[in-house]
Amino acid sequence: NQLIGFGVGGATLTELSVHDSATSTGADITGPAGIQAGDLLVLYDRSSSITTTPPTTVVPSGFTAVSNLSGDDGVNAARQIVSYKIATGIEAGAAITGMDDTTDGKMLYVFRGDISITAVSVSTLNEEITDGDPSSQNVAASGGVVPLIVIAAYGTRLTSPGIDPRTFSTTKDGEITSNGTNRYLAYKIYNSSPSDTSVDMEDESSINTLQSCFIECS
């Protein structure tokens, strides 16, 4: 799943950074005003219902789903989707529409390269949804081609006690949360010397959801 690409004029992408982020508790999330063509958008979308029928899948226009998990605990149901898009620029300040049910929580990261990103490849996808304790996941990023981003998405039904502890064995560069303490999206950028990352969470209530992968950019 390794992919090497070339930018305009033969230049090679060598460096990534996080440019901006956004959160939402509704059906839409607004793209930060500074989004440019060639940015990479990574979207976390979790929606919950008060029935045993999971929310209907909605992947925003132009996005590609990396992981789409759903489950129920016999009373309530949830769906958690991680997706990405190479931005065209029209997303700046615009509504990005995802799932909508009883409770919604969305998070968006905007990653930018030293030149425009033209291709991505997703590797070492791990995913689990369970009413018990999710198994630890290993993101084998050490075998990836830089620059790359390690992504971890955590979700559970209840905001109390929330997801604590949650682990990310290398030092994550950051994380955001939406709709309380039961949804988190964390990342680590490697522009050189990538390392494997262990991701885990405990049994916090029910419909515990853990997704992880790394994304190579070129």
Side-chain angles (χ1 to χ4, degrees):
N1 290 330
Q2 295 180 354
L3 184 64
I4 300 176
F6 296 91
V8 177
T12 302
L13 180 74
T14 60
E15 186 173 323
L16 293 168
S17 61
V18 66
H19 174 70
D20 212 337
S21 65
T23 65
S24 170
T25 57
D28 298 336
I29 186 169
T30 301
I35 292 176
Q36 299 177 359
D39 289 343
L40 175 65
L41 312 180
V42 175
L43 175 67
Y44 171 121
D45 189 357
R46 183 178 174 104
S47 187
S48 303
S49 72
I50 55 174
T51 72
T52 56
T53 301
T56 301
T57 293
V58 178
V59 178
S61 177
F63 281 75
T64 299
V66 173
S67 176
N68 181 348
L69 297 178
S70 65
D72 72 89
D73 61 6
V75 178
N76 301 278
R79 185 181 299 276
Q80 184 168 306
I81 303 174
V82 176
S83 60
Y84 72 87
K85 179 184 183 181
I86 298 176
T88 63
I90 63 171
E91 306 83 2
I96 299 168
T97 301
M99 293 186 290
D100 186 22
D101 211 297
T102 304
T103 305
D104 302 322
K106 295 174 174 60
M107 294 169 275
L108 179 72
Y109 268 121
V110 181
F111 298 98
R112 181 165 295 171
D114 52 347
I115 61 172
S116 293
I117 298 166
T118 59
V120 300
S121 178
V122 177
S123 297
T124 317
L125 174 63
N126 305 288
E127 51 184 2
E128 184 178 4
I129 188 165
T130 176
D131 287 333
D133 185 1
S135 300
S136 177
Q137 298 179 356
N138 181 56
V139 183
S142 62
V145 175
V146 295
L148 62 83
I149 310 160
V150 177
I151 295 290
Y154 312 78
T156 192
R157 177 174 168 254
L158 298 178
T159 56
S160 178
I163 306 174
D164 188 15
R166 59 192 177 279
T167 62
F168 194 109
S169 66
T170 52
T171 303
K172 61 192 171 191
D173 289 334
E175 68 178 5
I176 46 179
T177 184
S178 174
N179 194 36
T181 57
N182 63 341
R183 305 159 197 247
Y184 289 89
L185 180 62
Y187 76 94
K188 170 73 175 182
I189 293 173
Y190 284 103
N191 291 317
S192 63
S193 305
S195 298
D196 293 350
T197 297
S198 175
V199 172
D200 202 3
M201 62 179 283
E202 293 186 346
D203 179 3
E204 299 295 358
S205 58
S206 63
I207 322 179
N208 302 306
T209 312
L210 187 61
Q211 299 155 305
S212 61
C213 65
F214 70 90
I215 303 174
E216 297 171 327
C217 299
S218 59

